[in-house]
Amino acid sequence: MKIKDGFMLREVAGSSIVVPIGTVQADFTGMITLNPVGAFLWRNLEKETTREELLKNVLAQYSIDEETASRDIDRYLEKLRTNGLLEE
């Protein structure tokens, strides 16, 4: 899975912002603000990856238990799916 083409993560005034680019702009107006963990996951999803790789990377980067990380990743991925931002 990976982030669909047409979206870019940018740092603006210390915030991580996802903006639509190209033809996606016509269908998706607005921006998405991500917290640091959300931006970390987004960057991992800019290239093809698996849920297991996301979990491994989060556990290596942050002090968090596997159960909490797994639950939070699932919620994050579901939000991306719901908003049409994820290719599977």
Side-chain angles (χ1 to χ4, degrees):
M1 75 185 117
K2 67 177 240 164
I3 297 296
K4 283 186 176 179
D5 290 337
F7 296 93
M8 294 189 88
L9 179 64
R10 294 285 185 224
E11 298 297 320
V12 178
S15 295
S16 297
I17 307 291
V18 174
V19 293
I21 58 172
T23 58
V24 174
Q25 289 177 336
D27 297 327
F28 189 95
T29 57
M31 296 183 295
I32 302 168
T33 303
L34 299 175
N35 67 23
V37 178
F40 177 81
L41 290 170
W42 184 279
R43 284 186 196 96
N44 278 263
L45 286 162
E46 288 178 329
K47 61 186 182 317
E48 187 70 32
T49 193
T50 65
R51 184 193 174 283
E52 292 75 25
E53 290 172 321
L54 287 176
L55 180 59
K56 180 185 82 164
N57 292 343
V58 166
L59 293 173
Q61 181 72 25
Y62 297 97
S63 298
I64 187 171
D65 65 272
E66 186 171 343
E67 182 180 333
T68 302
S70 183
R71 183 183 64 240
D72 290 351
I73 288 169
D74 287 342
R75 278 192 286 189
Y76 184 82
L77 292 174
E78 185 56 35
K79 284 183 181 184
L80 292 177
R81 284 183 189 103
T82 299
N83 289 290
L85 301 172
L86 196 61
E87 288 181 6
E88 302 210 47

